[in-house]
Amino acid sequence: MTRVRQPVWRSKLRRTNDNWALRNWLADRGSLTARIQKKGQFAVQVLRQGLGQPTPDEAAALEIQPGQRVWVREVALFCDQAVVVFAHTVLPRRPRGPLSIWLARLGNRSLGALLFAHAGFVRGPMHFRRLDRRDLLFPAALRALDVGGENLQALWARRSHFSFGCQTVLVTEVFSPRITQL
């Protein structure tokens, strides 16, 4: 039996031909929300929010059991009515804390605005990955970014942990090639 090797999240963003134009966006440790807002009219559309299961690599990153139920939030970030980022957020159900309540009440507001406005949040290291059809997030990202007609074989993503007290949320941001036009 042959196992398909899953791509790994890397702590360093390697220079490749397909990420060259996105490097500025991928490597920026500041607020993605604030950066998009500077480029045009910003909006958030909630695609999914509720209980779900993390992907195996998310469970490992959050140090929880695979299959354990977590809070999942998926949104599309718009700039001037074009989707430029698909954001996928995973928050373990335990321990409970203020982050659980805040996430439930966000609605069509950006999680990034909360994360960067509150001094209590600490951002961990960023990791990068070229998502392709082997990745469980790829189909949802492709649909959300509305780039299916472009026959894309891969999309670039970054992710990082944000900690607040005893709670940690894992945020993955998948970038549309459109973002380079901003």
Side-chain angles (χ1 to χ4, degrees), residues 127-155:
H127 292 89
F128 310 94
R129 184 163 159 181
R130 183 180 183 267
L131 303 182
D132 60 26
R133 299 200 185 293
R134 295 173 291 175
D135 194 287
L136 295 172
L137 286 183
F138 188 76
L142 206 56
R143 278 191 308 276
L145 295 173
D146 194 24
V147 290
E150 297 177 30
N151 197 25
L152 288 177
Q153 300 301 308
L155 294 163

Side-chain angles (χ1 to χ4, degrees), residues 38-98:
K38 288 179 184 175
K39 301 291 185 177
Q41 183 179 354
F42 178 78
V44 176
Q45 179 186 3
V46 177
L47 305 171
R48 176 171 78 120
Q49 183 166 322
L51 290 175
Q53 288 190 339
T55 64
D57 67 297
E58 289 170 338
L62 289 165
E63 299 178 352
I64 60 174
Q65 293 296 316
Q68 184 175 327
R69 308 248 313 152
V70 295
W71 294 107
V72 176
R73 174 178 160 97
E74 292 181 343
V75 300
L77 304 182
F78 290 77
C79 185
D80 294 334
Q81 301 179 349
V83 183
V84 292
V85 174
F86 167 71
H88 174 86
T89 301
V90 177
L91 174 67
R93 292 174 64 196
R94 300 277 184 254
R96 290 190 52 88

Side-chain angles (χ1 to χ4, degrees), residues 2-74:
T2 305
R3 279 185 71 188
V4 175
R5 191 168 154 256
Q6 291 292 312
V8 296
W9 288 92
R10 300 191 181 279
S11 59
K12 295 201 187 281
L13 181 58
R14 294 181 177 175
R15 292 180 188 213
T16 64
N17 289 337
D18 67 339
N19 76 12
W20 183 254
L22 290 169
R23 288 182 64 77
N24 259 353
W25 289 95
L26 288 164
D28 188 346
R29 288 190 54 86
S31 168
L32 182 59
T33 296
R35 187 165 177 195
I36 294 171
Q37 286 172 331
K38 288 179 184 175
K39 301 291 185 177
Q41 183 179 354
F42 178 78
V44 176
Q45 179 186 3
V46 177
L47 305 171
R48 176 171 78 120
Q49 183 166 322
L51 290 175
Q53 288 190 339
T55 64
D57 67 297
E58 289 170 338
L62 289 165
E63 299 178 352
I64 60 174
Q65 293 296 316
Q68 184 175 327
R69 308 248 313 152
V70 295
W71 294 107
V72 176
R73 174 178 160 97
E74 292 181 343

